[in-house]
Amino acid sequence: MSSALLPGDFLRFPTERELVLRAQETVVGVIPEICLVSHFQVGTWEVLYRPLTTGNVRRWGLPLMIPNFSRLRNGLFLEKGTTLPIHGFGRLLPWTLLMADEHQVQLQLQSNDTTRACYPYEFTFTVTVTAAPRTLTYTLAMENHSAETMPIAPGFHPYFALAQAAKPRLQVQGLPGFEAAAIDWEHQPPDTPFPFAGEVTITFPEQGTLTIAELPQDGRFALHNMQVWTELPTRPDHAFVCFEPTVGSEDALNRPGDRLEVAPDSTVSIVLQLRAQTQA
C-alpha cells in the first residue's frame, strides 16, 4: 500500500494553518489569514463541517460575511454606485493576527485601496474568538473612522456537520415556520430566511444540542434574520446544514431599515455564541 497521504489527510485537524484554542473538552480552530473559525468540537462531537474530501474553503467552518451577507441585487451597492461580491470581501482579504493564547484569538481587517473601491468607508473590523467549556464566543467590532455614517449588514455562515440521512430528523426550537421533516432534502433543500429572535436551539441526531444565541449589546440585538441552507446531495460537499444568523436577508445593505448604521467615530459590536451539549 502506498504511504502517500489521501487528499483528506491534509485537512485533518489541526492543519499547519490553524491556531488551536482549548477549554476543558472544547477545542476551537482558527485560520487567521482568512478569518475562518475552522473547527469547533465538544468531546467527540465535531460541530462544524470540514471539507475533507474537496478542500473547498468556501464550504468550511464558520466564515464571516462582511460588509454584506448574500447577494446585492445586480451586485450593486446603491448608496455608492459600486459593486460588492456575494457575502462581501471579508473572507477574500488577508486579516492581521493581533493576539493569540490558549483560549482566545483576535484578528483585524482595516480599510485599504481594495476595500475603498467597492465600499468607500474608513473602517476597522476586529474579530475576537474565545473558547470556553462547551462554548464558542465570536465578537465582531465594527469601527467607523469616516466622516459619514457607515451602513453595514454582515452575517455569520456556519456549516454544521450533518449526514444527509439525518437532516429530516433535526429538531429546532425558536425558529417558527421551520419544520425539518416537511422539507424535501433530496431534491429541494432549503435556502430560506426566517425571523431570528436572538436564540435558536437545534438537536442534532446522535450528537447533541446546539444553541445559537446573540448576546445583546447595550440592550439591543443586531441579528434579525436566520438563513437556513444546504446543498443538494449530488454536490461534493453536502453533509452539512447552515443556520446563518445575519443582520438582514439578501440585499439588506441596500435597505436602510434592515441594516446597521455606524455613526462617524463610533463602534458597533455583535456578539454571537454557540453552545454545544453532547448527547448523554
Side-chain angles (χ1 to χ4, degrees):
M1 179 180 293
S2 170
S3 61
L5 289 174
L6 296 173
D9 291 329
F10 294 109
L11 291 180
R12 298 290 178 189
F13 178 78
T15 64
E16 292 183 356
R17 303 172 69 192
E18 289 172 279
L19 296 177
V20 180
L21 314 179
R22 299 182 187 275
Q24 296 179 13
E25 76 274 41
T26 299
V27 184
V28 173
V30 179
I31 301 178
E33 61 266 29
I34 55 175
C35 192
L36 177 68
V37 178
S38 54
H39 197 80
F40 176 39
Q41 181 172 346
V42 177
T44 60
W45 182 15
E46 295 186 13
V47 179
L48 294 176
Y49 177 77
R50 293 176 73 85
L52 293 177
T53 302
T54 66
N56 183 1
V57 73
R58 299 295 183 91
R59 300 288 184 270
W60 189 347
L62 195 174
L64 172 66
M65 307 301 164
I66 196 167
N68 54 294
F69 164 75
S70 194
R71 296 172 177 82
L72 301 183
R73 185 171 297 177
N74 299 317
L76 293 176
F77 177 29
L78 298 177
E79 203 126 330
K80 295 297 182 179
T82 60
T83 59
L84 280 162
I86 180 173
H87 294 323
F89 50 67
R91 61 179 180 164
L92 305 175
L93 300 178
W95 290 63
T96 300
L97 176 64
L98 297 183
M99 64 81 62
D101 61 25
E102 183 182 5
H103 305 296
Q104 190 174 84
V105 62
Q106 191 168 73
L107 313 170
Q108 194 170 86
L109 177 67
Q110 294 185 308
S111 50
N112 53 56
D113 289 344
T114 299
T115 67
R116 292 183 194 107
C118 57
Y119 186 69
Y121 301 93
E122 300 301 315
F123 64 77
T124 299
F125 300 151
T126 304
V127 164
T128 305
V129 178
T130 306
R134 298 181 299 280
T135 304
L136 185 159
T137 303
Y138 192 124
T139 302
L140 168 64
M142 298 163 286
E143 302 174 53
N144 179 14
H145 307 299
S146 306
E148 61 180 315
T149 296
M150 180 176 73
I152 197 162
F156 303 90
H157 200 313
Y159 293 80
F160 298 115
L162 185 64
Q164 181 70 18
K167 292 176 183 179
R169 295 188 288 130
L170 284 170
Q171 297 179 24
V172 180
Q173 295 179 317
L175 202 61
F178 177 83
E179 182 59 52
I183 295 172
D184 182 356
W185 296 93
E186 297 297 313
H187 305 99
Q188 292 183 310
D191 185 3
T192 311
F194 294 89
F196 178 51
E199 184 169 303
V200 167
T201 300
I202 308 162
T203 300
F204 288 76
E206 287 82 51
Q207 296 290 355
T209 300
L210 177 74
T211 299
I212 305 171
E214 180 185 2
L215 307 185
Q217 303 300 293
D218 300 322
R220 297 180 180 179
F221 291 93
L223 304 171
H224 301 292
N225 177 71
M226 178 164 280
Q227 197 83 11
V228 182
W229 176 77
T230 190
E231 290 275 28
L232 285 164
T234 52
R235 302 287 293 178
D237 289 297
H238 67 268
F240 60 76
V241 63
C242 297
F243 288 86
E244 308 161 27
T246 69
V247 167
S249 57
E250 184 172 311
D251 203 42
L253 186 61
N254 284 323
R255 299 193 301 271
D258 292 334
R259 66 192 189 189
L260 302 176
E261 305 277 351
V262 186
D265 299 315
S266 67
T267 302
V268 170
S269 295
I270 301 174
V271 181
L272 180 70
Q273 195 167 81
L274 305 182
R275 302 189 296 268
Q277 181 65 52
T278 55
Q279 194 172 70

